[in-house]
Amino acid sequence: MSDVHNEAAAVAERVERRWATVAILIVVFLAGMAAFAGIHQATMPQTAVETIDPTTIHLQGEFIESNLGSAVEQDGSVTVRAIGQQYSFSPPCIVVPTQTPVTFRATSADVVHGFLIQGTNINTMLVPGYVSVQKASFDQPGEHLMPCQEFCSVGHEGMWAKVKAVDKQQFLSEIADKRRLSCAP
């Protein structure tokens, strides 16, 4: 009986060592992935943090109402300025050109909101007092929903906007006689 017991104990020990090895390899793999993502800034915070006074964003500075929406910069890129506030985005509809670098600059007037443009790599949080900056490029014309994906209060489920990507020439002709462009009615 003792030989059977010793043999069973040896088998159990080998199985436990194998599982312990597998667990250690998984932990090492996950730590390596986290380090790789951190080095490539996939999970790191922005290196330069811009702050803003959320109590005065509607009154002065770059986020006043007349400055919201899309604007063409000197280098031909487009900058979009937007504000998240309970329970809407301003502007509620954003027009961007295709085949053009687009920089989204957004902030929150009240609480933390999510800024997600479906079908793109844009996914960030809008925190009161801070300016979130995200860069993107739209390859094809189309509409993208922009829901708030961060619970912000009881009206959260109705907080969404849309981003309309249009042909670059159409965009340039629409913005030619305006300073800012949005597709909000």
Side-chain angles (χ1 to χ4, degrees):
M1 192 75 149
S2 162
D3 287 340
V4 171
H5 180 67
N6 288 340
E7 190 176 316
V11 169
E13 184 178 340
R14 280 195 312 268
V15 169
E16 286 181 18
R17 284 182 196 258
R18 286 182 185 150
W19 278 113
T21 303
V22 168
I24 290 170
L25 289 174
I26 289 171
V27 169
V28 168
F29 176 72
L30 291 175
M33 284 179 42
F36 177 78
I39 290 169
H40 287 83
Q41 297 181 352
T43 59
M44 299 299 288
Q46 298 176 14
T47 56
V49 177
E50 293 181 57
T51 58
I52 191 168
D53 182 359
T55 62
T56 62
I57 59 174
H58 296 292
L59 305 173
Q60 63 187 5
E62 74 173 297
F63 292 100
I64 59 173
E65 187 173 344
S66 62
N67 210 25
L68 298 178
S70 301
V72 178
E73 301 298 331
Q74 296 287 342
D75 63 359
S77 67
V78 171
T79 300
V80 175
R81 288 179 178 79
I83 297 175
Q85 56 198 356
Q86 292 178 322
Y87 304 98
S88 65
F89 287 104
S90 294
C93 183
I94 298 167
V95 180
V96 294
T98 58
Q99 308 299 323
T100 305
V102 179
T103 301
F104 289 89
R105 294 180 54 81
T107 190
S108 171
D110 44 30
V111 299
V112 175
H113 296 286
F115 190 80
L116 167 76
I117 301 175
Q118 293 180 345
T120 71
N121 64 340
I122 301 291
N123 185 358
T124 191
M125 291 171 49
L126 304 182
V127 179
Y130 296 92
V131 177
S132 293
V133 179
Q134 294 283 302
K135 295 181 182 292
S137 181
F138 296 82
D139 296 329
Q140 302 290 331
E143 290 189 3
H144 303 270
L145 289 179
M146 192 174 88
C148 174
Q149 88 282 13
E150 195 71 39
F151 182 75
C152 54
S153 191
V154 293
H156 165 74
E157 70 281 350
M159 185 174 174
W160 63 275
K162 71 178 176 179
V163 175
K164 185 177 175 183
V166 298
D167 181 67
K168 186 174 185 174
Q169 294 307 318
Q170 178 185 347
F171 178 84
L172 292 174
S173 68
E174 287 181 24
I175 202 167
D177 60 338
K178 301 174 187 165
R179 242 186 66 193
R180 299 277 176 227
L181 185 62
S182 79
C183 50

